[in-house]
Each structure stands twice: as C-alpha cells, then as structure tokens.
C-alpha cells in the first residue's frame, strides 16, 4: 500500500493489483470520495462524490467533482458506476454531475425507498416525488454482485445509521463501508437519524468484522484526533482490536448503551436539511417553482 499527494486535492492511493484506489477528501464535510479502477481494463467506479454547497449563500459548485472527472481523464479510466453508500446527511451528492459528464449509472440500496418515504413526509414534498427509487438508475439488494472490468463488487446491506446503508465489497479484498465504521480511534456512526438503530448497526458491523482480517476497510468520513491527519483506510483486524466503540469483547448491550448515550450529545449535521432533500432525489434538484427558481425547505421543530 502506498500514498500519493494529488495536485489541489488530498490524495490517498492503495494499490492491490489489479485494483487501484484514489481517495479525494472534501475538507468541508470531511468526506472521502473514491475512484476505484481495474487497471487491466481501465474500468472504474466512483463512490460517494461530493457537490460543493455553501450553506450561507445557497450556492452550489462542482469544483470538487471536477477534480474527479479530471483524474478519470488523466488516467484514461472509463466510469461505469457512481455508487452511493446511502443518502448522506452531511453533504450533497455530485452523482448527477458525474453521470452527465461520463454516462455512468447511479446506484444505491433498495431500502432508499424507506428513507424517501420518511423524508417526503418530513419535508411535505410535492406529489410528483414518488418514493419508489426511480430517481436512481439501479437499486441494489443485499448480496447482489456487479462486475466492473475484473472487479466483482458484492453488495452488503448494513443498516443502522440509516435503513438504506450499503457496503461495497470488491473481490473480497476491500470494502467501502460508508457511515458504519470510522477509523478505530473515532469509532462508529451515529444512529439517531429517522429510521436509525444502534442495535441494527451493531449487527451490521458484525457482518463487516466477519470479513477476512486483512480486508481493507475504506471509510466515508474521518474526524481525526489532534495527534494525526486524515486517514481513510484501515483493516478488519485493526477494527476488531482497536475500535473504541465496537472492538472484540464489546457486547451488543454495551455498544447500544454507549452509542445511544453519545448520540444524545450530538447536534444535527450542518447540511442535513439541504443534503437529504437532494440526496433522496439521487442528487437532482427539486422542480423549479412558477418563477423559475429552485427552493429547498426548512421544516421547523421536526428534527
């Protein structure tokens, strides 16, 4: 495994022949987006891309996503899929931008329909918004397998943070775990969003930790301690030994008590209201109103 610094962005490279992983850090939300490519065929996927969003002005920008597009062109990679691990609450997805630039399909877990229904009610969305997942090109079921070049990508449903979380397991060598596990010194994802469950998350994480000890785990976020910089990759073995919330020996009851106690102290993510409204639409904007302007809603006293 090696590291690389990319021009104008955080770069982290892991090479496990013939798979190449490049990570892009959005410093505003501390989100990692990944390009994963089969070097032998130059076929690639992107996981959890970020659309820049300035909350104060309501302005969006594709600057971060453009870096991913430039990297794909530079490497000569053909993008086949944009894969979302879930409907994110802390950043807006850039999946539509990448689809428009490359023709890639957008995929997410089939349980996004549950999340869509929940938030259609919370935001009182327009009648034409149907919570049936058709905003995405494909909905994955647990244990589905897709092939991209020489990569076999197994889908693992990992609910708990939200009902629709997925992990993408590539060639049984590496897993992109979204918001389930963080780096061992940070712990695990919160479970207090609508439909979340600490008990369910515990059981989902046990499935991840049952993978081979040497399996590389790529996290969606890192919130580093003062003693280190951002990191995005760990292993099953390290998580089982060192994770502060769910290492070996921590019972389900202990985890639930610790997780629920911790969640009570957390404020809502800064971008949850705009992010969820867009991400349940696969990152697309809501329809413009009669003046041609697009608006997002702020429900009062709901979350």
């Amino acid at each position: 495994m090696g590291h690389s610094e990319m021009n104008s962005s955080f770069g982290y490279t892991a090479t496990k022949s013939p798979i190449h992983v490049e990570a892009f850090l959005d410093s505003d939300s501390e989100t990692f987006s990944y390009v994963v490519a089969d070097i032998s065929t130059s076929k690639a996927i992107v996981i959890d891309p970020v659309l820049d969003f300035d909350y104060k002005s309501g302005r969006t920008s594709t600057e971060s996503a453009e870096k991913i597009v430039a990297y794909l062109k530079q490497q000569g990679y053909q993008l086949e899929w944009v894969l979302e691990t879930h409907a994110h609450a802390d950043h807006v997805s850039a999946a539509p931008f990448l689809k428009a630039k490359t023709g890639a399909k957008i995929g997410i877990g089939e349980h996004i329909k549950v999340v869509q229904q929940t938030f259609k009610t919370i935001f009182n969305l327009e009648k034409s918004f149907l919570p049936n997942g058709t905003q995405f090109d494909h909905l994955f079921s647990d244990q589905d397998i897709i092939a991209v070049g020489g990569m076999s990508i197994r889908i693992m449903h990992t609910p708990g943070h939200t009902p629709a979380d997925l992990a993408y397991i590539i060639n049984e060598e590496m897993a992109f775990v979204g918001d389930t596990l963080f780096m061992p010194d940070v712990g695990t994802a919160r479970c207090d969003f609508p439909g979340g469950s600490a008990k369910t998350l515990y059981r989902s994480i046990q499935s991840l930790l049952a993978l081979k000890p040497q399996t590389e785990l790529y996290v969606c976020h890192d919130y580093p301690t003062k003693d280190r910089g951002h990191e995005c990759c760990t292993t099953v073995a390290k998580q089982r030994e060192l994770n502060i919330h769910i290492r070996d020996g921590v019972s389900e009851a202990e985890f639930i008590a610790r997780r629920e106690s911790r969640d009570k102290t957390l404020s809502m993510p800064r971008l949850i209201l705009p992010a969820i409204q867009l991400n349940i639409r696969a990152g697309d904007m809501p329809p413009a109103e009669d003046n041609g302007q697009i608006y997002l809603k702020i429900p009062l006293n709901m979350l």
Side-chain angles (χ1 to χ4, degrees):
M1 182 178 297
H3 298 259
S4 73
E5 290 297 328
M6 293 188 59
N7 291 333
S8 73
S9 71
F10 176 95
Y12 179 98
T13 304
T15 303
K16 181 172 283 190
S17 185
I19 301 173
H20 182 87
V21 179
E22 192 77 22
F24 296 79
L25 176 65
D26 173 56
S27 58
D28 181 58
S29 62
E30 296 183 287
T31 301
F32 284 106
S33 304
Y34 297 97
V35 175
V36 189
D38 171 41
I39 297 171
S40 62
T41 64
S42 295
K43 299 291 182 65
I45 62 175
V46 167
I47 300 173
D48 292 335
V50 176
L51 182 75
D52 304 304
F53 186 94
D54 181 69
Y55 192 82
K56 295 185 295 297
S57 67
R59 291 192 173 275
T60 63
S61 164
T62 58
E63 181 179 354
S64 295
E66 286 168 8
K67 293 175 184 177
I68 293 177
V69 172
Y71 176 76
L72 292 167
K73 290 181 179 178
Q74 174 191 356
Q75 299 299 318
Y77 292 153
Q78 178 182 340
L79 186 63
E80 296 211 341
W81 285 95
V82 180
L83 301 177
E84 300 283 10
T85 55
H86 63 296
H88 306 272
D90 43 29
H91 69 268
V92 176
S93 172
F97 175 79
L98 289 172
K99 178 179 179 178
K101 288 292 186 181
T102 67
K105 295 171 289 190
I106 304 173
I108 201 168
E110 62 180 347
H111 292 86
I112 188 63
K113 292 179 283 187
V114 177
V115 178
Q116 289 177 322
Q117 183 60 65
T118 297
F119 283 98
K120 178 172 184 175
T121 300
I122 288 174
F123 289 110
N124 193 31
L125 297 180
E126 69 278 4
K127 291 182 179 179
S128 60
F129 175 79
L130 300 179
N132 59 10
T134 55
Q135 300 80 3
F136 299 83
D137 295 308
H138 191 84
L139 303 183
F140 298 112
S141 299
D142 185 47
Q143 304 307 317
D144 279 353
I145 295 177
I146 57 174
V148 176
M151 296 186 289
S152 176
I153 305 171
R154 178 163 66 92
I155 311 301
M156 180 185 288
H157 183 213
T158 55
H161 173 60
T162 80
D165 284 62
L166 296 182
Y168 296 101
I169 303 168
I170 302 180
N171 291 1
E172 303 300 324
E173 296 178 339
M174 55 182 65
F176 295 81
V177 300
D179 287 10
T180 50
L181 287 162
F182 299 140
M183 296 301 291
D185 60 343
V186 180
T188 59
R190 65 193 298 168
C191 299
D192 59 333
F193 296 155
S197 165
K199 181 176 183 178
T200 302
L201 182 65
Y202 179 88
R203 296 180 179 185
S204 293
I205 291 175
Q206 296 311 307
S207 296
L208 287 169
L209 297 183
L211 297 171
K212 294 181 293 187
Q214 67 270 26
T215 304
E216 295 172 352
L217 302 180
Y218 291 87
V219 300
C220 186
H221 300 283
D222 186 32
Y223 310 106
T225 62
K226 63 180 180 179
D227 300 321
R228 65 172 178 83
H230 284 94
E231 299 178 25
C232 66
C233 183
T234 181
T235 65
V236 168
K238 289 178 181 177
Q239 292 283 17
R240 293 184 64 167
E241 178 187 3
L242 300 172
N243 189 285
I244 60 172
H245 293 163
I246 202 166
R247 62 186 176 274
D248 284 356
V250 175
S251 70
E252 181 177 293
E254 289 172 325
F255 174 78
I256 292 171
R258 182 178 301 167
R259 184 69 265 166
E260 291 182 347
S261 175
R262 166 83 173 139
D263 288 348
K264 289 177 181 177
T265 71
L266 301 177
S267 58
M268 284 290 108
R270 177 172 54 92
L271 294 183
I272 185 171
L273 295 176
I276 289 291
Q277 287 179 76
L278 300 178
N279 293 339
I280 60 174
R281 303 175 188 267
D284 280 327
M285 299 293 166
E289 298 198 9
D290 56 11
N291 63 351
Q293 180 61 47
I294 294 171
Y295 294 91
L296 297 175
K297 294 184 175 183
I298 298 179
L300 299 180
N301 305 314
M302 290 283 285
L303 297 182

